[in-house]
Amino acid sequence: VQLQASGGGLVQPGGSLRLSCAASGFTLDYYAIGWFRQAPGKEREGVSCISSSDSSTYYPDSVKGRFTISRDKAKNTVYLQMNSLKPEDTAVYYCATVLCSDYGLEHFGYWGQGTQVTVSS
């Protein structure tokens, strides 16, 4: 059972990246999936989640309107589309199975390996 995050990289401010969270050994359909990030010296922050039914998504104010989470069941993958990136978005991004509601997310179960996102000119 494994979650693997990918798609990070170096991007200029205002640019876009799409992160992928792929699962092996289990089907993501039955799980709420979330994305967290952690910058050096800062606490881990939940930046998005999608419920198992895809009926609920959550974004904190820091990313609302810029990040979009989605699920491709055929590919057993969850995506995080990040637009209008800012230097303060620089962090290691992790995907995980979570408890997700319209009001927030909480890690519950599996963690994926992180992917580095660096926003810099």
Side-chain angles (χ1 to χ4, degrees), residues 2 10 21 33 41 44 48 50 56 64 77 86 89 111 120:
Q2 189 175 12
L10 173 64
C21 178
I33 302 298
R44 183 178 295 152
S48 185
I50 185 167
S56 295
K64 193 174 293 182
T77 300
K86 305 175 181 180
D89 294 317
W111 279 109
S120 175

Side-chain angles (χ1 to χ4, degrees), residues 23-96:
S24 59
F26 69 106
T27 302
L28 287 181
D29 291 8
Y30 306 118
Y31 293 86
I33 302 298
W35 287 92
F36 297 83
R37 66 185 181 188
Q38 189 163 23
K42 294 188 177 181
E43 292 188 354
R44 183 178 295 152
E45 175 189 15
V47 296
S48 185
C49 67
I50 185 167
S51 64
S52 57
S53 64
D54 295 352
S55 61
S56 295
T57 58
Y58 166 78
Y59 306 94
D61 288 344
S62 58
V63 308
K64 193 174 293 182
R66 301 188 297 120
F67 289 12
T68 303
I69 192 168
S70 62
R71 186 194 300 267
D72 186 330
K73 293 183 178 181
K75 295 184 178 179
N76 205 27
T77 300
V78 169
Y79 300 101
L80 184 68
Q81 179 67 44
M82 306 187 297
N83 298 329
S84 302
L85 284 162
K86 305 175 181 180
E88 52 262 45
D89 294 317
T90 295
V92 178
Y93 284 70
Y94 302 87
C95 61

Side-chain angles (χ1 to χ4, degrees), residues 87-107:
E88 52 262 45
D89 294 317
T90 295
V92 178
Y93 284 70
Y94 302 87
C95 61
T97 53
V98 299
L99 302 175
C100 178
S101 73
D102 292 340
Y103 307 103
L105 69 162
E106 179 181 347
H107 171 250

